[in-house]
Amino acid sequence: SICASDHCSGLAMAPEGALAEGEQELGTQVLCHGLVWALLLGSVNLALSRAAKGRPKGWLARRVSGGFFNMPAHMYVVASCGQTFIQPALWSLAFFGRDSGAAWWFGAQAQWAVGEFLAHSFGYFMQDALVHMAENSPLVLLHHVASAFAAWLLTQGSGWRGFLLTVAQAMELGSLAAELGDLGFLPRRPAALALLATSVAPAAVTLGSAFLSPPPDLASGFIVLA
């Protein structure tokens, strides 16, 4: 499996000290690598913003209207690329590289791919809040800060890690569909249905799962409720 420490393959059944060490390593990965992702993605966004200002009648400067997010086109690029390529790849590495002999969906395997998925999320939300502060509403800024915090907090929980990672991946695909609908790459009705399905279905499954396997601690419980 893809792990952050040699002993993490049995993390769901590991001693408390081993679990705490795995959480600490993942938490550090999310914060440190998240800052690197923020610098990288923020630099790309700044370059796209300058390009849009340099060609005010170009595609990058075009503001979407009548869509889901209604932003200038250049603000969609970094998010859509991450949701199309980076996040699915990291989720796949986590899922197919999991230790099949230990709990994954409701366990807390300390995998590098999980940490990097969360680090990418942390970095994306932080840089978007800063680079696009003038465009983002206070509600969007609050969402970004809360999402970045949740990305780190998931590394501190002792359960539900695989499940919550999968829920996040599903919801990101719904957001991607909405973005592609805004940009004209998908018809807006199917995009709206995809966004609705990836919002309602994960919420319903999460609620049902909370009764069958309640979150084991405050960290995972907070994310489930949020």
Side-chain angles (χ1 to χ4, degrees), residues 21-216:
E21 183 181 345
E23 291 168 357
Q24 183 178 11
E25 290 173 354
L26 276 187
T28 301
Q29 179 184 354
V30 169
L31 294 178
C32 294
H33 291 200
L35 290 176
V36 175
W37 279 111
L39 288 172
L40 175 63
L41 301 178
S43 297
V44 174
N45 262 326
L46 286 172
L48 290 169
S49 180
R50 291 195 198 97
K53 290 178 180 177
R55 297 186 63 185
K57 294 185 179 180
W59 182 84
L60 287 174
R62 178 178 67 86
R63 179 177 289 274
V64 173
S65 60
F68 300 97
F69 303 113
N70 300 320
M71 303 182 299
H74 68 86
M75 289 180 61
Y76 290 82
V77 176
V78 168
S80 298
C81 288
Q83 292 160 334
T84 302
F85 303 108
I86 298 172
Q87 291 177 323
L90 290 171
W91 181 88
S92 298
L93 284 173
F95 180 75
F96 293 107
R98 71 193 187 280
D99 177 11
S100 59
W104 188 79
W105 293 100
F106 296 104
Q109 294 188 29
Q111 298 169 277
W112 176 88
V114 171
E116 208 60 28
F117 182 105
L118 297 173
H120 174 269
S121 298
F122 180 93
Y124 169 78
F125 286 120
M126 294 306 294
Q127 64 81 32
D128 192 72
L130 294 173
V131 174
H132 298 141
M133 184 176 293
E135 286 281 351
N136 289 326
S137 67
L139 186 60
V140 170
L141 290 174
L142 178 62
H143 165 269
H144 281 14
V145 173
S147 296
F149 174 69
W152 172 81
L153 189 63
L154 186 54
T155 67
Q156 305 304 298
S158 59
W160 278 64
R161 190 172 292 160
F163 181 91
L164 291 172
L165 190 80
T166 303
V167 166
Q169 175 59 58
M171 297 180 78
E172 291 292 349
L173 290 176
S175 295
L176 173 63
E179 291 158 13
L180 295 178
D182 275 8
L183 295 174
F185 297 120
L186 279 180
R188 286 187 175 175
R189 184 177 293 275
L193 291 174
L195 181 62
L196 180 64
T198 55
S199 298
V200 174
V205 174
T206 300
L207 181 62
S209 299
F211 287 101
L212 296 175
S213 180

Side-chain angles (χ1 to χ4, degrees), residues 7-15 19 99 101-104 106-110 158-159:
H7 57 263
C8 70
S9 61
L11 195 56
M13 300 177 64
L19 182 60
D99 177 11
W104 188 79
F106 296 104
Q109 294 188 29
S158 59

